[in-house]
Amino acid sequence: MVRNSLGRMIPETFAGKRLLPYRDPWSLLPGRDMATRGLRRVNPGSNKLLANLHDAITAAGLKDGMTISTHHSLRNGDFLLNQVVRTIDSLGIRDIKIASSSIHPVHAELIPYIRKGVITGLECGVNGLIGELISKGELDCPVIVRSHGGTARALITGDVPVDVAFIAAPCCDEYGNMNGFFGPSACGSLGYAMVDALHAGCVVAVTDNLVPYPASPISIPQTLVDYVARVETLGDPAKIVSTTTRITTDPIGLLIAKYAAMVIEASGCLTDGFSFQTGSGGISLAVADQVRTLMRKGKIRGSFGCGGITGYFVEMLEEGLFQTLFDVQCFDLRAVESIGRNPSHLEISADMYANPFNAGAVVNRLDCVILGATEVDTDFNVNVNTESNGYLLHNTGGHSDTAAGAKLAIIVAPSIRGRLPIIRDAVTTVTTPGDTVDVIVTERGIVVNDRHAELKEELIRRRAPVKDIRELRDEICRVTGEPRPLEFEDEVVGLVEYRDGSIIDVIRKVKE
């Protein structure tokens, strides 16, 4: 074991891979050139269209020990990954790694296939029961959790070589041109799948909506697609929405949003050209609503909103408060509808969104991002992967990517969650390093990182409830009591990889 710069003990190897301990957010450079897929030739009259997944997996040459990928734009409504794994099992193929952009509670169906050795590793974010069982040591399936930008980086560099990518294509023609805008399983942006299509060894477009050639518009072109397979259904778009997309009415949440808007206004970044990202939760949308009011009042026109796009951002675009939306993933059906008709609602790849190893990601142009947390510590490190019980229940998403890129990264969270304090001496798991977190906002007060002395002074001048982070921690603990330390086994069951490929923390087996 070796100690990284945050004091976390990291194994030298994991699941056969040699690991690089996290050092800082900025200094690690790419260690290899871009991985490229082999060239191929498709002659006139060649037929890419196959009857089903069985034929597609056979044609793709999938074998024991290979790696597959899917994308999660249908989120908890995705049916494709489960269908692919069932078919892999029926063919007798074993020891498969999954490198999807994320897996969700709907994918709990994979658990029996992990137990029987069909699936032997996860190179992706994990939400739900699978992560819990891995944390308990009840599933023998090493997991490496990456951010969205980190996932793109790993595919592009070849750190995670994907042998076959299965792309859910809601609108697709027989030659492989596709988009996610139309059809019974429309999910909007295919931003995560774009990277897989460029770098996987073989690409299979899977569709429940085969349209006459050419499909239009084209998100992923025929030049990247080897086969097209038909299925009865890709999923349920109604379940794209897995968190609330309504502004909170909870008084605590509204107070947090008010304080966060005060921080944004005091920072001086709320001027023409303002760029902004927020999540889909009720508090985050309440912050967006406060910002919307300030922009109207000041007649401010922002440059772009980005990330996972909600109908709320669509309304701000159509109102003229933003010039453009950069969309790597639609978070609700209003966003899905918008991206198919609005030329200022732009589909972008996960590479363009957040990969740290390219010529400049969109996150680098963010003025402000609003992020959540399960825990924050007195060094401003943030945990979004594990819950208070130590179980791995959440993926990283774009959390560490946007915190690193934005000029102002604001964490919003209630001071007490589940009778436990949100601010700890040390978080259970480090997802996002404190070096990239600027402000923490709770209903009990605002904490500003010491490197932003001018912002802190301005907030104090405006009579905002600014507090020292240790002062706020002590205040909360007087209400909750000191939390009981979690107990873990020595066994490492998963890794949290920082966006540059270094290991920022580990997931250990929880002691029951």
Side-chain angles (χ1 to χ4, degrees):
M1 302 287 283
V2 295
R3 193 181 300 275
N4 70 14
S5 66
L6 297 179
R8 302 286 168 140
M9 297 303 296
I10 307 298
E12 294 185 34
T13 61
F14 181 78
K17 295 183 178 182
R18 190 157 194 85
L19 305 181
L20 180 66
Y22 171 82
R23 183 170 58 189
D24 64 65
W26 317 115
S27 62
L28 185 61
L29 298 175
R32 65 179 75 191
D33 293 330
M34 185 179 294
T36 58
R37 57 185 300 194
L39 297 175
R40 63 262 290 134
R41 176 168 180 153
V42 176
N43 289 323
S46 296
N47 181 24
K48 294 184 182 183
L49 185 61
L50 303 173
N52 50 46
L53 280 172
H54 180 286
D55 292 353
I57 291 169
T58 302
L62 189 70
K63 296 180 174 61
D64 291 359
M66 286 187 170
T67 299
I68 66 169
S69 71
T70 60
H71 67 87
H72 76 285
S73 295
L74 281 157
R75 294 169 67 80
N76 209 40
D78 173 61
F79 297 168
L80 179 59
L81 180 56
N82 292 340
Q83 294 180 73
V84 168
V85 172
R86 284 199 301 270
T87 309
I88 288 172
D89 177 53
S90 73
L91 289 166
I93 300 170
R94 296 293 182 267
D95 188 24
I96 294 297
K97 310 295 187 299
I98 295 177
S100 297
S101 49
S102 181
I103 62 174
H104 286 261
V106 68
H107 300 122
E109 186 180 319
L110 302 180
I111 290 170
Y113 300 101
I114 295 173
R115 289 194 163 123
K116 68 191 295 188
V118 179
I119 305 302
T120 56
L122 298 173
E123 301 258 0
C124 56
V126 178
N127 294 275
L129 183 59
I130 290 176
E132 178 180 337
L133 294 179
I134 290 172
S135 301
K136 291 179 175 179
E138 295 180 17
L139 285 181
D140 183 14
C141 187
V143 58
I144 302 178
V145 179
R146 294 183 175 89
S147 69
H148 291 325
T151 296
R153 172 202 50 76
L155 297 182
I156 291 168
T157 60
D159 288 341
V160 178
V162 173
D163 296 292
V164 185
F166 296 91
I167 299 177
C171 179
C172 186
D173 64 39
E174 64 181 9
Y175 220 44
N177 298 299
M178 71 180 88
N179 66 64
F181 305 164
F182 310 114
S185 301
C187 59
S189 175
L190 297 180
Y192 299 120
M194 290 175 176
V195 180
D196 298 64
L198 280 167
H199 299 282
C202 180
V203 176
V204 179
V206 186
T207 190
D208 58 2
N209 180 37
L210 194 69
V211 300
Y213 182 91
S216 179
I218 297 172
S219 296
I220 295 174
Q222 63 193 41
T223 54
L224 301 176
V225 177
D226 297 286
Y227 303 105
V228 178
R230 287 175 287 191
V231 294
E232 184 176 338
T233 179
L234 291 172
D236 181 0
K239 294 182 179 177
I240 290 174
V241 182
S242 59
T243 56
T244 178
T245 56
R246 294 184 178 180
I247 297 170
T248 184
T249 57
D250 175 55
I252 289 177
L254 291 174
L255 185 57
I256 292 169
K258 177 183 175 182
Y259 290 161
M262 290 176 66
V263 173
I264 295 170
E265 189 174 30
S267 72
C269 66
L270 196 57
T271 59
D272 282 341
F274 175 64
S275 55
F276 188 44
Q277 177 171 331
T278 187
S280 61
I283 294 176
S284 294
L285 291 179
V287 177
D289 188 57
Q290 294 270 350
V291 169
R292 184 181 193 175
T293 299
L294 292 171
M295 292 177 75
R296 286 170 173 165
K297 182 179 178 181
K299 298 182 179 178
I300 294 165
R301 190 184 190 208
S303 56
F304 70 89
C306 80
I309 297 300
T310 64
Y312 199 82
F313 256 121
V314 170
E315 291 175 9
M316 294 176 78
L317 174 71
E318 293 178 346
E319 191 179 338
L321 296 177
F322 285 105
Q323 178 181 333
T324 301
L325 297 181
F326 286 134
D327 194 340
V328 72
Q329 174 188 356
C330 294
F331 269 165
D332 61 25
L333 297 182
R334 177 73 192 282
V336 173
E337 185 273 333
S338 169
I339 200 171
R341 63 169 175 78
N342 195 328
S344 296
H345 188 161
L346 303 180
E347 182 179 32
I348 63 170
S349 71
D351 174 32
M352 180 174 172
Y353 171 53
N355 176 12
F357 289 174
N358 62 25
V362 168
V363 295
N364 294 349
R365 302 289 296 183
L366 273 172
D367 287 315
C368 179
V369 63
I370 304 297
L371 299 166
T374 59
E375 299 172 330
V376 183
D377 68 25
T378 53
D379 291 320
F380 286 76
N381 299 311
V382 180
N383 174 18
V384 297
N385 295 126
T386 55
E387 288 284 355
S388 57
N389 53 19
Y391 296 155
L392 172 62
L393 294 176
H394 308 287
N395 66 4
T396 299
H399 200 283
S400 57
D401 299 314
T402 52
K407 294 176 183 174
L408 186 65
I410 302 174
I411 307 298
V412 294
S415 62
I416 299 170
R417 181 177 283 128
R419 295 179 292 181
L420 292 171
I422 192 75
I423 299 178
R424 311 290 188 90
D425 289 329
V427 291
T428 304
T429 307
V430 179
T431 305
T432 297
D435 284 345
T436 63
V437 174
D438 302 301
V439 182
I440 301 163
V441 179
T442 77
E443 80 283 4
R444 295 175 184 270
I446 300 168
V447 177
V448 182
N449 200 307
D450 287 343
R451 65 177 175 271
H452 292 291
E454 290 184 4
L455 174 58
K456 184 175 182 178
E457 290 173 6
E458 177 61 21
L459 285 166
I460 292 171
R461 189 187 70 80
R462 295 176 182 228
R463 301 182 185 276
V466 176
K467 296 181 179 179
D468 175 80
I469 193 164
R470 287 170 180 80
E471 172 192 357
L472 183 56
R473 177 220 172 271
D474 292 344
E475 178 184 328
I476 299 168
C477 286
R478 282 194 291 271
V479 177
T480 63
E482 291 288 341
R484 181 182 301 173
L486 294 173
E487 295 187 55
F488 295 95
E489 307 281 359
D490 291 335
E491 180 184 353
V492 175
V493 296
L495 303 177
V496 179
E497 191 176 277
Y498 191 58
R499 61 198 298 258
D500 62 6
S502 62
I503 306 304
I504 198 165
D505 212 340
V506 301
I507 309 295
R508 286 188 166 81
K509 179 182 175 181
V510 176
K511 185 177 289 187
E512 298 292 336

